[in-house]
Amino acid sequence: MNPAVQTLLEEIAQAKRRAAERKQHAQASGDIPNTTHVPQEPQPPSADECCGNGCTPCVYDTYRAQLAAYHQAKPPPSIPATINVRCSQPLGARARLLVLDATEQTFRVRLGQHVHLRTEGTAARAFTPVMLPDATGTVRPHVLVRVYGPGSSSRSLAELRPGDPLMVRGPLESSVDMPGALNSSTCVLVAAGSGISAVFHVLQYAAAHAEYHRRRLLVVQCACDAESLWLRRPIERLRDVLPGLHYHAHVSADAGRMDCRVLRGMLGDVDGACAVVCGPEAFNNDVAGWLAELGLAPDAIQVL
């Protein structure tokens, strides 16, 4: 690079740093306001705005899409560092479902974000909480914990009971471009274990944004037994909004181990598709290899 140009770029960078420091100092001292944009919540249409003729989109469809976009753009609340477990129940032979004592007002994770959970004295593990109604109808974070051997951090989480504290860190950003997976006309989502939580986030995001309602969404959920197919019913209900959603369950106790042949039979033609794979490391590696065999480009396969 020309020395004169390099010197100029360095001077510009220094000027920007000094300006940022002055602005930060002024905001901290109250001399200028913090200009962080807070989006305005859309207002529902009045009763006389809908003509009742089945328009596509209806004013209520537009409102729901705007409301979903508002909740997505709204700055997330600060998640408390400690949250108590409200409910704990077994889910199949090797998993446990935890419902945390928090609500949408105090706990929110956007698409592509996750949290780290741990108990006292154990290593943190990454999870994608799913906001669902609990037995009382209150929407709370639900966390699926895949249980491994004695002494593991997952075992300590699975042993939690109502009222026990859980240490939380987040929300944290993922390195995977989750919204980008919906840019293709066909999106393949393959999950095992607690990975179905991240897949469900993608589907919720698609359902909340009208521009994705016509996407072809191919979901494959793998589990060791039928009782472990968490979120199957909520996923199937999303077909009312996502007509291109196709859900397939593979239960190894009944059908044996998943392989490329089985996956091909479920997915069909995936030419030009994007994919997200979320599960244990060995599962992710196998599925990514099978998807490549089915014709997906390497840069079209994202692994969580």
Side-chain angles (χ1 to χ4, degrees), residues 237-261:
R237 285 195 291 268
L238 288 176
R239 288 176 180 156
D240 295 338
V241 182
L242 302 169
L245 171 60
H246 303 273
Y247 173 85
H248 304 274
H250 180 84
V251 177
S252 57
D254 300 328
R257 188 175 182 273
M258 169 66 79
D259 57 28
C260 187
R261 178 188 59 81

Side-chain angles (χ1 to χ4, degrees), residues 10-206:
E10 291 174 352
E11 290 175 352
I12 293 173
Q14 290 175 359
K16 288 182 176 179
R17 284 196 297 269
R18 288 194 295 269
E21 290 171 357
R22 288 195 299 270
K23 181 178 180 180
Q24 185 178 13
H25 175 74
Q27 286 181 338
S29 62
D31 293 338
I32 62 174
N34 190 319
T35 56
T36 301
H37 174 67
V38 178
Q40 295 296 313
E41 182 171 359
Q43 297 302 308
S46 58
D48 59 354
E49 286 186 74
C50 178
C51 65
N53 291 326
C55 300
T56 303
C58 172
V59 291
Y60 286 100
D61 295 330
T62 303
Y63 167 67
R64 283 190 289 269
Q66 292 174 341
L67 186 64
Y70 160 75
H71 285 299
Q72 188 69 21
K74 187 172 65 172
S78 177
I79 294 178
T82 302
I83 300 176
N84 288 345
V85 173
R86 186 177 181 87
C87 176
S88 175
Q89 61 188 64
L91 193 71
R94 304 176 185 174
R96 199 160 189 93
L97 184 64
L98 302 180
V99 180
L100 307 188
D101 197 5
T103 65
E104 293 176 294
Q105 286 69 45
T106 60
F107 194 111
R108 186 157 62 90
V109 176
R110 293 175 178 165
L111 178 64
Q113 294 182 331
H114 61 277
V115 297
H116 282 174
L117 303 179
R118 68 181 183 92
T119 58
E120 185 68 39
T122 64
R125 287 191 60 200
F127 291 93
T128 303
V130 173
M131 302 302 290
L132 292 171
D134 66 2
T136 68
T138 304
V139 176
R140 301 185 187 278
H142 290 57
V143 178
L144 177 61
V145 179
R146 175 78 170 173
V147 183
Y148 295 98
S152 64
S153 57
S154 66
R155 176 71 64 174
S156 65
L157 293 173
E159 291 173 352
L160 291 171
R161 294 297 179 264
D164 288 345
L166 184 61
M167 282 166 273
V168 183
R169 179 169 172 261
L172 305 171
E173 296 292 337
S174 168
S175 59
V176 173
D177 178 20
M178 300 291 277
L182 293 168
N183 290 337
S184 172
S185 60
T186 298
C187 178
V188 177
L189 303 164
V190 187
S194 59
I196 194 62
S197 302
V199 165
F200 191 66
H201 268 217
V202 176
L203 297 176
Q204 285 182 312
Y205 184 86

